[in-house]
Amino acid sequence: MNETHNPQLTSWIPSANIPGNDFPIQNLPFGVFRKKVTGLHHIGVAIGDQVVDITAARNEGLFNGLAEEAAEACSGDTLNRLLSLGRAHWSELRKRLSVLLSDTEERGKVERCLVPMTAVEMQLPVAVGDYTDFYASIYHATNVGSMFRPDNPLLPNYKYVPIGYHGRASSIVVSGTPVQRPSGQTKSDDAPAPVFGSTKQLDYELEVGFFIGPGNEMSKPIPISEAEHHIFGLCLVNDWSARDIQKWEYQPLGPFLAKNFATTISPWIVTLDALEPFRCPAFARPADDPAPLPYLDSTANVMTGGVNITLEVFLRSRKMREKKSDAFLVSSGNFKEMYWTLAQMLTHHASNGCNLRPGDLLASGTVSGTTKDSRGCLLERTWRGTEPLQLPSGEKRTFLEDGDEVTIRGYCERSNAVRIGFGECRGVIVG
Ligand code: MN
C-alpha cells in the first residue's frame, strides 16, 4: 500500500469526503464519459460527484514521466491503450491524480478539468474483444446443480477446474441501457416439441468482472505468480439469463443464446491498486477438498487472493418506480466467498496458451453465499420459482417482468480504510 490509500487523505472537492460516497480520493476509478453539451467522448476518473477529464488535465501540463505516458494513452475514447501499458504506468497516474486532488497547489488548473457527473453520460469504458464467464461460486454451482441433478449437484471436475464458457462481447452494454426481453426456443417437460417465443423465465446474475491489462502471447501461459500484473481492475456485471431457453439448449455444449442477448456492466473500473486495502485470503477450502493443482496454487494467492466486496441486488417493478418507492433489496453477498480467485481464473484461462488481450473481460459467474438472502440470481433466490419473492408493492416475483429494474451495487469496507464503491450496474426490462 502507498500514500494513495492513506485513510486520512481528503480531497478539496467536498463531495468526495462525504462518508459513504462511492468515489472518495482513495478510489479514483476510470471510465469513459460523453459530455452532454458537446457529445464528445473523454476518459475520466471519478471523484465525489465530479469527473476529472484526463486529457484536459494533460493539456494543463499536470503530468510527467510514466504518469504523462499513461495520460497520453487516455487521449482516445476507450481505455484499451491505458490497459495495455501495465501496472507501473497505472500506479504513477493514480499517484499523481491523488496528489492533484488532495493538494491545493494546482487546484486552479485541475478545476478547469472537472465535469459534474450530472453533465455526462457514461459509456462502455473498454472495447471488449473477448468475454469469458466463469462459474466460480461453489454455492451457486451446488444450488443450481441440486435443482437439475438432485443426486449429483456438484460435478466431479468442479474443485479442480475453474469452469467457464466463452461469452459474447458484442452485446455487452453499459449500465442504464434498456434490456430487451429475448425470444428463443423453449420446451416444457410435458410438451412433445419446443416452441419459439418470448422467454418466460428472465433472470439476472450478480457477478464481478475484471479487465485484462497487458495480455500474453499465444502459446505463452501466465504463471499464477504474475497473474495480477495482467489485471487492470474490476467492475460489476449483470449476466442476464433466460432460464427456459438455457434449460432446452445447454446440453451438450453449454450456454448459448440464453445468455448472449445482453450483459450489463458498471461504467467505472475500480483498479486493483484501489482494492489493495480490501484484499483477503482466498476461499478456505474444507480439509477434505483437494488442493488446487500446482499451476493454480501459490502462497500469495492463498494469503491475499480474495477481495472483500459486499454486493447487493435491488429490484424495482414498474409500479414501484411510478410510485417512487425505494428499491427492494433482493440479496446481499460477498465476493470473498468465491471458490476460485481472480488469479486462478486468469491463469487457468491462459494455461493452454490461449492469448488474452488488453480489454478482454473475464467475469466471475454468479456470486452466491451460504444463506438464502445471499443467492445471486432469481433462479436460486426463488428456488426455480417455487418460493416467490414478495415485493413491498404487494407484487410477487419468480422471474423478471417487463418494467422491472435491476440494480447491482458493490462496495468495500473495513476498519482503518476509507470505504470505496463501484457505483451501479442497472438495467430495465422492456418487452
Ligand atoms: Mn453468468
Side-chain angles (χ1 to χ4, degrees), residues 233-299:
L234 277 57
C235 69
L236 305 172
V237 175
N238 184 340
D239 176 25
W240 304 96
S241 299
R243 301 302 183 189
D244 43 2
I245 299 172
Q246 184 180 357
K247 180 172 175 247
W248 174 237
E249 75 170 10
Y250 87 101
Q251 287 180 316
L253 284 184
F256 184 34
L257 303 183
K259 285 172 173 286
N260 71 1
F261 57 93
T263 305
T264 304
I265 65 171
S266 56
W268 293 108
I269 306 178
V270 176
T271 62
L272 267 200
D273 272 348
L275 290 164
E276 192 63 32
F278 308 101
R279 302 307 301 266
C280 61
F283 183 90
R285 291 188 170 213
D288 51 356
D289 276 13
L293 294 179
Y295 80 102
L296 293 178
D297 204 3
S298 78
T299 306

Side-chain angles (χ1 to χ4, degrees), residues 117-138:
M117 282 190 182
T118 51
V120 307
E121 280 169 3
M122 296 308 295
Q123 309 293 307
L124 271 183
V126 169
V128 180
D130 279 294
Y131 162 49
T132 301
D133 195 22
F134 283 88
Y135 198 53
S137 162
I138 196 169

Side-chain angles (χ1 to χ4, degrees), residues 270-349:
V270 176
T271 62
L272 267 200
D273 272 348
L275 290 164
E276 192 63 32
F278 308 101
R279 302 307 301 266
C280 61
F283 183 90
R285 291 188 170 213
D288 51 356
D289 276 13
L293 294 179
Y295 80 102
L296 293 178
D297 204 3
S298 78
T299 306
N301 184 64
V302 170
M303 303 297 287
T304 60
V307 197
N308 184 339
I309 310 171
T310 301
L311 297 162
E312 296 171 333
V313 180
F314 296 89
L315 180 60
R316 272 204 309 173
S317 67
R318 179 182 284 141
K319 194 170 156 187
M320 291 166 73
R321 285 186 291 124
E322 282 168 0
K323 288 187 171 176
K324 308 223 184 303
S325 315
D326 287 341
F328 176 69
L329 177 65
V330 182
S331 72
S332 175
N334 195 299
F335 193 58
K336 70 183 178 188
E337 297 195 48
M338 301 303 269
Y339 195 80
W340 297 105
T341 63
L342 303 171
Q344 287 172 322
M345 287 186 260
L346 182 143
T347 293
H348 180 65
H349 203 316

